[in-house]
Amino acid sequence: MKKIFISMAVGALLVCGCGMNGMGTGMLSGGQNANTTANTGATIGNILQSVLGGNSKLTQQQLVGTWTYTRPGCAFTSEKLLAQAGGEVVASEIKTKLQPSYQKVGITSSNTQVTFNQDGTFSAKIAGRNWTGKYTFDAANSKVTMQGLLLNINCYAKRNSDGIGLLFESKKLLTLLQTMSALSGNQTLQDVGELSKNYDGVRLGFDMK
């Protein structure tokens, strides 16, 4: 009887374990948890998705659509650099440190969004300021080139669990924020620049859905 009981208990644990693993995979690979709390969504979004390229790559068709800002974004250019920086925990901490700077600049979900159209045009609103133009997407390198009246700039697009990330080299992010917020030389923007100096290969920007 004891042997039968132990065998049944082990079997139950294995079944539960497989069920949990299956659930975890679904949560990571799908975009099905948009209604969870912001913190839970951010944590799930960070797992295995803090590196540009690889499984996070987007296709041209996946990029098309209207994307609304949800939180600061961060990714590293390679798994090696992510590991050297301290892994997923550090990537999450960088996003947290960016949050107050974005708030001071005035970036919110209601005034920051980007629409990529099928015909190669885009329209954006960053901190409430409009920006339109044309874009090209190099899917192999996840690189988006945006050309408009206000400025021309490159960024990198990646797939998140609940949307996409648009990520910039630090100097280009500063250029974008300065142009859109008219805060050139502001200490808030300098803080963003200083943050990027502490890590090799980091890209900063916006997580959107």
Short mmCIF file of all heavy atoms in Angstrom, two decimals, residues 1-35:
data_model
loop_
_atom_site.label_atom_id
_atom_site.label_comp_id
_atom_site.label_asym_id
_atom_site.label_seq_id
_atom_site.Cartn_x
_atom_site.Cartn_y
_atom_site.Cartn_z
N MET A 1 0.81 -1.21 0.00
CA MET A 1 0.00 0.00 0.00
C MET A 1 0.85 1.26 0.00
O MET A 1 0.57 2.23 -0.68
CB MET A 1 -0.93 0.00 1.22
CG MET A 1 -2.07 -0.98 1.17
SD MET A 1 -3.22 -0.58 -0.16
CE MET A 1 -3.92 0.93 0.49
N LYS A 2 1.95 1.21 0.78
CA LYS A 2 2.82 2.38 0.83
C LYS A 2 3.44 2.65 -0.53
O LYS A 2 3.56 3.79 -0.98
CB LYS A 2 3.90 2.21 1.89
CG LYS A 2 3.38 2.28 3.31
CD LYS A 2 4.52 2.18 4.30
CE LYS A 2 4.00 2.29 5.74
NZ LYS A 2 5.10 2.18 6.71
N LYS A 3 3.88 1.55 -1.20
CA LYS A 3 4.51 1.72 -2.51
C LYS A 3 3.52 2.29 -3.52
O LYS A 3 3.86 3.14 -4.34
CB LYS A 3 5.05 0.38 -3.01
CG LYS A 3 6.27 -0.12 -2.23
CD LYS A 3 6.78 -1.42 -2.80
CE LYS A 3 8.02 -1.91 -2.04
NZ LYS A 3 8.54 -3.18 -2.59
N ILE A 4 2.29 1.80 -3.46
CA ILE A 4 1.26 2.30 -4.39
C ILE A 4 1.01 3.78 -4.13
O ILE A 4 0.92 4.59 -5.04
CB ILE A 4 -0.04 1.49 -4.24
CG1 ILE A 4 0.20 0.05 -4.69
CG2 ILE A 4 -1.17 2.14 -5.03
CD1 ILE A 4 -0.98 -0.88 -4.43
N PHE A 5 0.90 4.15 -2.85
CA PHE A 5 0.64 5.54 -2.50
C PHE A 5 1.76 6.45 -2.98
O PHE A 5 1.53 7.52 -3.53
CB PHE A 5 0.47 5.66 -0.98
CG PHE A 5 0.26 7.07 -0.53
CD1 PHE A 5 -0.99 7.67 -0.63
CD2 PHE A 5 1.33 7.82 -0.02
CE1 PHE A 5 -1.18 8.97 -0.21
CE2 PHE A 5 1.12 9.12 0.40
CZ PHE A 5 -0.12 9.71 0.30
N ILE A 6 3.01 6.04 -2.78
CA ILE A 6 4.15 6.84 -3.21
C ILE A 6 4.16 7.01 -4.72
O ILE A 6 4.39 8.08 -5.25
CB ILE A 6 5.47 6.20 -2.73
CG1 ILE A 6 5.56 6.29 -1.21
CG2 ILE A 6 6.67 6.88 -3.37
CD1 ILE A 6 6.73 5.51 -0.63
N SER A 7 3.88 5.92 -5.45
CA SER A 7 3.85 5.99 -6.91
C SER A 7 2.78 6.95 -7.39
O SER A 7 2.98 7.74 -8.31
CB SER A 7 3.59 4.59 -7.49
OG SER A 7 4.63 3.71 -7.14
N MET A 8 1.62 6.91 -6.75
CA MET A 8 0.54 7.83 -7.13
C MET A 8 0.91 9.26 -6.84
O MET A 8 0.63 10.18 -7.63
CB MET A 8 -0.74 7.45 -6.37
CG MET A 8 -1.34 6.12 -6.79
SD MET A 8 -2.77 5.67 -5.78
CE MET A 8 -3.90 6.98 -6.23
N ALA A 9 1.58 9.50 -5.73
CA ALA A 9 1.97 10.87 -5.37
C ALA A 9 2.99 11.42 -6.36
O ALA A 9 2.89 12.57 -6.80
CB ALA A 9 2.55 10.88 -3.95
N VAL A 10 3.99 10.60 -6.71
CA VAL A 10 5.00 11.03 -7.68
C VAL A 10 4.35 11.33 -9.02
O VAL A 10 4.64 12.32 -9.68
CB VAL A 10 6.09 9.95 -7.85
CG1 VAL A 10 7.01 10.31 -9.00
CG2 VAL A 10 6.89 9.82 -6.56
N GLY A 11 3.42 10.44 -9.43
CA GLY A 11 2.74 10.67 -10.70
C GLY A 11 1.97 11.96 -10.70
O GLY A 11 1.96 12.70 -11.67
N ALA A 12 1.29 12.27 -9.57
CA ALA A 12 0.52 13.51 -9.47
C ALA A 12 1.43 14.72 -9.59
O ALA A 12 1.10 15.72 -10.24
CB ALA A 12 -0.25 13.54 -8.15
N LEU A 13 2.59 14.64 -8.93
CA LEU A 13 3.53 15.76 -9.00
C LEU A 13 4.03 15.97 -10.41
O LEU A 13 4.18 17.11 -10.88
CB LEU A 13 4.73 15.49 -8.06
CG LEU A 13 4.45 15.63 -6.57
CD1 LEU A 13 5.65 15.17 -5.75
CD2 LEU A 13 4.11 17.08 -6.22
N LEU A 14 4.31 14.89 -11.13
CA LEU A 14 4.78 15.00 -12.51
C LEU A 14 3.72 15.62 -13.40
O LEU A 14 4.02 16.46 -14.24
CB LEU A 14 5.17 13.61 -13.05
CG LEU A 14 6.45 13.00 -12.46
CD1 LEU A 14 6.62 11.57 -12.96
CD2 LEU A 14 7.67 13.84 -12.84
N VAL A 15 2.48 15.22 -13.21
CA VAL A 15 1.39 15.79 -14.00
C VAL A 15 1.26 17.28 -13.74
O VAL A 15 1.13 18.10 -14.64
CB VAL A 15 0.06 15.07 -13.69
CG1 VAL A 15 -1.11 15.83 -14.32
CG2 VAL A 15 0.11 13.64 -14.22
N CYS A 16 1.32 17.67 -12.45
CA CYS A 16 1.22 19.09 -12.09
C CYS A 16 2.39 19.86 -12.67
O CYS A 16 2.24 20.96 -13.17
CB CYS A 16 1.20 19.25 -10.57
SG CYS A 16 -0.33 18.66 -9.82
N GLY A 17 3.58 19.24 -12.60
CA GLY A 17 4.76 19.92 -13.11
C GLY A 17 4.65 20.17 -14.60
O GLY A 17 4.96 21.23 -15.10
N CYS A 18 4.18 19.16 -15.36
CA CYS A 18 4.02 19.33 -16.79
C CYS A 18 2.99 20.38 -17.09
O CYS A 18 3.13 21.18 -18.01
CB CYS A 18 3.61 17.99 -17.44
SG CYS A 18 4.92 16.75 -17.40
N GLY A 19 1.91 20.38 -16.29
CA GLY A 19 0.87 21.39 -16.51
C GLY A 19 1.39 22.77 -16.29
O GLY A 19 1.10 23.71 -17.04
N MET A 20 2.20 22.97 -15.27
CA MET A 20 2.75 24.28 -14.98
C MET A 20 3.70 24.73 -16.08
O MET A 20 3.70 25.87 -16.49
CB MET A 20 3.50 24.25 -13.63
CG MET A 20 2.60 24.14 -12.43
SD MET A 20 1.55 25.59 -12.21
CE MET A 20 2.79 26.76 -11.64
N ASN A 21 4.53 23.79 -16.57
CA ASN A 21 5.45 24.14 -17.64
C ASN A 21 4.71 24.53 -18.90
O ASN A 21 5.06 25.48 -19.60
CB ASN A 21 6.38 22.95 -17.96
CG ASN A 21 7.42 22.75 -16.87
OD1 ASN A 21 7.71 23.69 -16.14
ND2 ASN A 21 7.95 21.55 -16.74
N GLY A 22 3.65 23.81 -19.21
CA GLY A 22 2.86 24.14 -20.39
C GLY A 22 2.23 25.51 -20.26
O GLY A 22 2.20 26.29 -21.19
N MET A 23 1.75 25.81 -19.05
CA MET A 23 1.13 27.11 -18.81
C MET A 23 2.17 28.21 -18.96
O MET A 23 1.92 29.24 -19.58
CB MET A 23 0.52 27.15 -17.42
CG MET A 23 -0.23 28.44 -17.12
SD MET A 23 -0.85 28.48 -15.43
CE MET A 23 -2.02 27.11 -15.47
N GLY A 24 3.36 27.99 -18.42
CA GLY A 24 4.41 29.00 -18.50
C GLY A 24 4.79 29.29 -19.93
O GLY A 24 4.97 30.43 -20.33
N THR A 25 4.92 28.24 -20.76
CA THR A 25 5.29 28.43 -22.16
C THR A 25 4.23 29.25 -22.88
O THR A 25 4.53 30.15 -23.66
CB THR A 25 5.44 27.06 -22.85
OG1 THR A 25 6.43 26.32 -22.16
CG2 THR A 25 5.84 27.22 -24.30
N GLY A 26 2.97 28.96 -22.59
CA GLY A 26 1.91 29.72 -23.23
C GLY A 26 1.94 31.18 -22.84
O GLY A 26 1.73 32.06 -23.66
N MET A 27 2.24 31.45 -21.59
CA MET A 27 2.27 32.83 -21.11
C MET A 27 3.41 33.60 -21.76
O MET A 27 3.30 34.78 -22.03
CB MET A 27 2.44 32.85 -19.60
CG MET A 27 1.21 32.36 -18.84
SD MET A 27 1.52 32.10 -17.11
CE MET A 27 1.66 33.78 -16.55
N LEU A 28 4.52 32.91 -22.05
CA LEU A 28 5.66 33.59 -22.65
C LEU A 28 5.48 33.80 -24.13
O LEU A 28 5.86 34.84 -24.66
CB LEU A 28 6.94 32.74 -22.42
CG LEU A 28 7.45 32.68 -21.00
CD1 LEU A 28 8.57 31.67 -20.91
CD2 LEU A 28 7.94 34.04 -20.56
N SER A 29 4.92 32.84 -24.82
CA SER A 29 4.92 32.91 -26.27
C SER A 29 3.71 33.62 -26.84
O SER A 29 3.73 34.10 -27.96
CB SER A 29 4.97 31.48 -26.86
OG SER A 29 3.83 30.75 -26.45
N GLY A 30 2.65 33.73 -26.07
CA GLY A 30 1.45 34.38 -26.59
C GLY A 30 1.36 35.81 -26.14
O GLY A 30 2.19 36.32 -25.45
N GLY A 31 0.32 36.51 -26.58
CA GLY A 31 0.05 37.84 -26.08
C GLY A 31 -1.26 37.81 -25.33
O GLY A 31 -2.06 38.72 -25.43
N GLN A 32 -1.49 36.76 -24.54
CA GLN A 32 -2.82 36.50 -24.01
C GLN A 32 -3.01 37.01 -22.59
O GLN A 32 -4.01 36.73 -21.98
CB GLN A 32 -3.06 34.99 -24.03
CG GLN A 32 -2.96 34.41 -25.44
CD GLN A 32 -3.00 32.91 -25.43
OE1 GLN A 32 -3.12 32.30 -24.38
NE2 GLN A 32 -2.92 32.30 -26.60
N ASN A 33 -2.04 37.75 -22.06
CA ASN A 33 -2.14 38.17 -20.67
C ASN A 33 -2.24 39.69 -20.52
O ASN A 33 -1.80 40.26 -19.55
CB ASN A 33 -0.91 37.66 -19.90
CG ASN A 33 -0.89 36.14 -19.90
OD1 ASN A 33 -1.62 35.52 -19.16
ND2 ASN A 33 -0.07 35.56 -20.76
N ALA A 34 -2.81 40.35 -21.52
CA ALA A 34 -2.88 41.80 -21.50
C ALA A 34 -3.74 42.32 -20.37
O ALA A 34 -3.60 43.47 -19.95
CB ALA A 34 -3.44 42.32 -22.84
N ASN A 35 -4.63 41.48 -19.84
CA ASN A 35 -5.52 41.93 -18.78
C ASN A 35 -4.98 41.69 -17.39
O ASN A 35 -5.65 41.95 -16.41
CB ASN A 35 -6.89 41.22 -18.93
CG ASN A 35 -7.61 41.66 -20.18
OD1 ASN A 35 -7.50 42.81 -20.59
ND2 ASN A 35 -8.34 40.75 -20.80
#
